[in-house]
Amino acid sequence: MDYPLIASAAFGLEGITASELRHMGISAKAEQGGARFNGTLADAYRANLWLRTADRVLIVLCECEATTFEDLFQAVSGIAWEKLLPRDAAIPVSGKCVRSRLMSVRDCQAVAKKAIVNRLLERLKVSSLPETGVPYPIEIALRNDHLRVTLDLSGEALNRRGYRTWNGEAPLRETLAAALVMLSPWRPELPLYDPCCGTGTLLVEAAMLATRRAPGLMRDFACDQYAFMPKDEMRRLRQEAQAAYQPETAFDIGGSDIDADALALCEKHIRQAGFEYRIPTEAEDLRRLQLPQPEGVFLCNPPYGERLGDQESCRALYRELGLLLKRHPGWKMGVIASDPAFERFFSRRADQKRRLYNGRLECEFFIFGAEKK
């Protein structure tokens, strides 16, 4: 049986998430906030295991117009909750309301929860629901009076791969880091080097891609405990993902930074990701950096003036990145930055640009040396 599903994703990454799903053989369409697809529960589980750029995988249980609390109550009441939730299920209901007549998130949550509980009491023929069991997180989302009710299959956001325990001063989410690796000119047969590696997220995500490791392989999902999920198929999919992982694959990935504390965290994250001794890092000022390989790709997330409060020093760093690329004529470079004047200080126009968001900060991903399309 197929279900309507959404792989939610940060703004700017929806198309990449849809492309990932299509690469899995699943027809998908990007939309604001994610990628839509129809699939079996096994497809949904495979998406949880393999999607590198998505935030969560959700089952869409209901979509309709809702302009009153009665509309909301009737819509939620019409969902066959008794086929999804066991009698002891914990039922956390979250909500969000955007440009709708129903704008009180708390009231919408309360109405939806009442509708779910009433339906379960009636259909299960019980007088109470203990809610002492497995949580089944429900979201009530209203945008422009359009209601969407979803059940979260992921639990913790999919960027929580299991290797990063501390973000440092200026974190880059794993999902965005994976997107930068995938959008860059880098391919696993080329060297990749991050001259501003910070806590190592770009390096680890590149190594995971090079070794074909499913990003969800080291973690559990909320739906692992759902009663209606196909447990045998889920075990098989995990075994397939484990078999696909090629930890001995050769790759040339490394990085450097001038921040000793960040480097210590970087080495910890590399170790926790299972790539100890595979990804060399060093304390090095990029002004003195000179690599021996004749070609490769620099990929970095340098400090932003908005983020660290020092735009002048950031722009000096952008000039040094431009000089670094000049010293390595066979190399290419991908840089994410929020400064509209980045190219001016880098002293070169990018061959490709793509608008992305690092959290809520609007950025551009600049690629230098890529073939122009």
Side-chain angles (χ1 to χ4, degrees), residues 97-116:
C97 302
V98 180
R99 296 190 297 274
S100 297
R101 272 170 270 193
L102 298 177
M103 284 298 291
S104 170
V105 173
R106 181 176 296 180
D107 289 341
C108 289
Q109 288 172 275
V111 169
K113 180 68 174 277
K114 182 179 179 181
I116 297 168

Side-chain angles (χ1 to χ4, degrees), residues 87-278:
R87 179 180 176 278
D88 66 344
I91 313 170
V93 178
S94 61
K96 56 185 177 185
C97 302
V98 180
R99 296 190 297 274
S100 297
R101 272 170 270 193
L102 298 177
M103 284 298 291
S104 170
V105 173
R106 181 176 296 180
D107 289 341
C108 289
Q109 288 172 275
V111 169
K113 180 68 174 277
K114 182 179 179 181
I116 297 168
V117 169
N118 285 3
R119 167 106 186 193
L120 287 172
L121 291 174
E122 177 188 341
R123 297 303 174 99
L124 297 178
K125 302 187 185 306
V126 296
S127 58
S128 65
L129 299 174
E131 294 201 49
T132 55
V134 172
Y136 287 70
I138 310 297
E139 183 181 74
I140 308 298
L142 277 157
R143 178 182 290 272
N144 297 322
D145 295 327
H146 182 79
L147 169 68
R148 187 172 73 198
V149 183
T150 55
L151 172 63
D152 184 358
L153 298 178
S154 301
E156 273 200 306
L158 295 178
N159 68 290
R160 303 294 182 121
R161 319 283 207 221
Y163 65 83
R164 197 167 80 174
T165 52
W166 181 254
N167 294 327
E169 185 178 7
L172 182 70
R173 288 187 74 183
E174 295 91 331
T175 44
L176 178 56
L180 297 182
V181 172
M182 294 162 73
L183 290 169
S184 78
W186 179 73
R187 297 296 175 265
E189 62 273 13
L190 290 172
L192 181 141
Y193 196 92
D194 183 351
C196 308
C197 68
T199 58
T201 310
L202 281 167
L203 303 179
V204 172
E205 291 298 321
M208 290 173 67
L209 195 64
T211 56
R212 291 182 49 80
R213 190 167 88 200
L217 193 59
M218 294 170 63
R219 55 160 289 173
D220 297 326
F221 308 106
C223 64
D224 284 320
Q225 300 184 71
Y226 292 175
F228 64 85
M229 290 294 288
K231 299 297 193 295
D232 289 343
E233 288 184 87
M234 291 155 61
R235 275 192 293 272
R236 176 182 59 79
L237 288 168
R238 273 202 179 270
Q239 290 167 357
E240 287 179 358
Q242 185 64 58
Y245 178 35
Q246 300 170 3
E248 302 306 317
T249 299
F251 57 74
D252 185 353
I253 296 170
S256 57
D257 205 290
I258 60 171
D259 186 331
D261 291 336
L263 274 175
L265 281 171
C266 177
E267 290 167 3
K268 180 180 180 181
H269 293 160
I270 289 170
R271 182 171 63 253
Q272 291 177 162
F275 295 114
E276 190 172 16
Y277 308 121
R278 302 287 313 278

Side-chain angles (χ1 to χ4, degrees), residues 4-9 13-31 33-40 42-58 158 182:
L5 299 157
I6 293 175
S8 66
L13 300 187
E14 301 99 333
I16 307 172
T17 299
S19 178
E20 286 193 86
L21 287 164
R22 289 192 287 268
H23 187 70
M24 295 180 205
I26 299 171
S27 178
K29 182 179 180 181
E31 65 176 31
R36 291 260 189 168
F37 63 107
N38 289 321
T40 64
D43 289 330
Y45 197 77
R46 187 155 56 102
N48 266 320
L49 275 170
W50 282 100
L51 285 175
R52 300 181 188 276
T53 61
D55 292 329
R56 282 185 169 83
V57 178
L58 312 165
L158 295 178
M182 294 162 73

Side-chain angles (χ1 to χ4, degrees), residues 277-299:
Y277 308 121
R278 302 287 313 278
I279 303 176
T281 60
E282 61 180 336
E284 182 63 88
D285 188 324
L286 67 83
R287 290 175 295 184
R288 295 190 293 271
L289 184 63
Q290 185 68 51
L291 301 180
Q293 299 95 324
E295 61 176 348
V297 175
F298 292 111
L299 184 63

